[in-house]
Amino acid sequence: MKILTITRPDDWHLHVRNNAILRTVLPHTTQQFARAIIMPNLKPPITTVDQALSYREEILQAIPNGENFTPLMTLYLTAATPLAEIKKAAESAHVYAFKLYPAGATTNSDAGVTDIKAIYPLLAELEKQDIPLLIHGEVTREDCDIFDREREFIETSLTQITHNFPNLRIVLEHLTTLEAVKFVEAAGKNMAATITPQHLLYNRNSILTGGIHPHYYCLPILKRERHRQALVAAATSGNPKFFLGTDSAPHLTSLKETSCGCAGCYSAHAAIELYAEAFERAKALDKLEGFASFYGADFYRLPRNTNTITLKRASWTIPLSYGADETRITPLKAGEELTWKLQ
Ligand code: NCD
Ligand code: ZN
């Protein structure tokens, strides 16, 4: 196959930050995706509808001229979120979900939730208002090994949440384990999941062999090869519970290449090409369109896009970095070849 045309995809998990970084990264997303679920973990976090609306305006201002792109806003759930804010979000035309970060689980999650049981009234309200809950599914207990944190979260918190709120629509974000795949497959139709390009393409050796490679460090951390294989199988299965969410998470190169580097892989520069590579290796390019362009929209009850994008089989080298000196970001697969190119 030399040319691949698919319905324009959407990114159901994206970090674009704000200010200069926003202006650097957003054009990469808008050239391929029609819509994206925008993560609220700014400093300070986006916890109210009013904050989300002004952040949305800032994003709209950063869309390159002539591009059509719709940011789908989310709110950061905290123990202090008032029930009234959930009602207000339900009435808003621009807020599509709440995000649950266990406190301390990842970048800018300090304001997150320490005791999930304590926010059950909020989850009940989300269920009642029929607003999706997006979950960063990792426990943060110090005594829990970093490679076990997703599995542990599923066994403890998530099983309880789904049991107590059977009608709550949940997206378990950025799956990284075989156990997570099995859990989502077995759960009811209210449960879906996103999968990132890095978790389809790499395992933990990419971070840790031949030296430490900080640009492959994200959370949840890359796991063993057998987990990567389970994720590829899920993404290419045609099961609509699994859809595209890049978790593209830009951090300045200087803050990744340091003694305590930030978590997050930047993938927006070549997101659909990276997914195409993973699907092609699995001999499943025919399953890319459902995963990238249909199932997420269906889950969020939004219309599927009607226009298309075209990828061409043409090898190209990913730049070593993007942005000016003060916004320099090192992309995933920097300096390496890709086999598909967005036209
Ligand atoms: C994300 C970020 O940098 O905001 N980092 C990451 O490693 N994925 C946060 C997140 O989604 O966990
Ligand atoms: Zn994320």
Side-chain angles (χ1 to χ4, degrees):
M1 199 189 274
K2 292 213 170 69
I3 296 273
L4 179 63
T5 297
I6 60 169
T7 301
R8 182 170 283 269
D10 304 299
D11 186 348
W12 301 100
H13 183 131
L14 177 67
H15 302 266
V16 291
R17 318 301 188 198
N18 50 8
N19 301 327
I21 294 192
L22 168 66
R23 291 188 292 275
T24 303
V25 300
L26 194 66
H28 289 156
T29 288
T30 61
Q31 69 188 2
Q32 48 194 310
F33 296 108
R35 299 170 286 202
I37 283 279
I38 306 294
M39 287 295 139
N41 62 332
L42 298 191
K43 284 188 217 167
I46 304 293
T47 55
T48 67
V49 173
D50 289 348
Q51 281 175 307
L53 294 181
S54 61
Y55 184 30
R56 179 175 176 274
E57 286 305 317
E58 189 186 348
I59 295 169
L60 294 178
Q61 292 302 318
I63 298 172
N65 280 339
E67 302 265 13
N68 243 320
F69 176 74
T70 308
L72 310 172
M73 309 311 291
T74 63
L75 298 191
Y76 190 120
L77 193 65
T78 81
T81 299
L83 286 176
E85 202 63 37
I86 297 180
K87 290 198 186 78
K88 196 168 167 185
E91 285 155 14
S92 161
H94 300 301
V95 176
Y96 288 82
F98 274 78
K99 178 75 188 269
L100 169 59
Y101 290 101
T106 188
T107 306
N108 298 343
S109 62
D110 304 350
V113 173
T114 25
D115 176 8
I116 291 182
K117 289 236 162 66
I119 59 150
Y120 270 16
L122 300 178
L123 301 190
E125 188 65 23
L126 288 172
E127 182 181 47
K128 185 174 155 203
Q129 300 291 342
D130 202 16
I131 306 180
L133 176 67
L134 317 182
I135 301 183
H136 183 111
E138 288 193 287
V139 297
T140 54
R141 286 196 347 259
E142 289 248 334
D143 63 343
C144 185
D145 189 277
I146 186 166
F147 292 99
D148 297 333
R149 289 181 174 195
E150 182 177 272
R151 196 185 61 206
E152 183 89 8
F153 182 88
I154 290 168
E155 282 171 10
T156 55
S157 304
L158 190 55
T159 309
Q160 298 272 332
I161 292 172
T162 52
H163 178 78
N164 285 295
F165 306 100
N167 295 317
L168 179 58
R169 285 193 291 150
I170 295 174
V171 182
L172 186 57
E173 299 291 337
H174 40 49
L175 295 197
T176 65
T177 57
L178 168 64
E179 289 82 3
V181 167
K182 284 189 174 155
F183 183 86
V184 172
E185 281 172 351
K189 63 172 179 15
N190 291 329
M191 166 81 61
T194 53
I195 305 180
T196 77
Q198 66 267 26
H199 292 101
L200 293 175
L201 290 167
Y202 305 108
N203 63 36
R204 64 195 199 176
N205 282 6
S206 296
I207 320 171
L208 294 169
T209 57
I212 286 192
H213 302 271
H215 300 295
Y216 292 87
Y217 172 61
C218 68
L219 289 170
I221 197 161
L222 296 174
K223 306 294 193 300
R224 287 177 180 275
E225 176 61 10
R226 70 185 171 89
H227 295 292
R228 188 193 69 81
Q229 288 173 8
L231 296 167
V232 170
T236 60
S237 65
N239 183 339
K241 284 170 161 269
F242 301 102
F243 46 82
L244 184 157
T246 61
D247 193 19
S248 177
H251 290 278
L252 297 182
T253 301
S254 56
L255 297 178
K256 296 275 301 171
E257 297 176 359
T258 174
S259 61
C260 183
C262 297
C265 297
Y266 182 64
S267 61
H269 61 295
I272 196 65
E273 292 105 321
L274 290 162
Y275 282 110
E277 187 144 321
F279 276 64
E280 179 163 50
R281 283 189 203 163
K283 300 191 170 42
L285 269 180
D286 60 319
K287 296 290 199 302
L288 181 63
E289 185 176 42
F291 175 83
S293 314
F294 295 160
Y295 307 148
D298 297 349
F299 184 85
Y300 279 89
R301 300 182 188 152
L302 290 168
R304 293 178 179 183
N305 298 318
T306 50
N307 49 354
T308 59
I309 59 163
T310 296
L311 300 176
K312 199 173 160 195
R313 174 180 282 292
S315 110
W316 61 290
T317 306
I318 295 178
L320 291 174
S321 68
Y322 290 99
D325 276 353
E326 58 297 352
T327 57
R328 199 153 71 86
I329 291 159
T330 302
L332 198 64
K333 232 173 182 297
E336 294 179 45
E337 297 253 306
L338 264 182
T339 45
W340 289 94
K341 181 100 189 77
L342 182 71
Q343 293 304 284

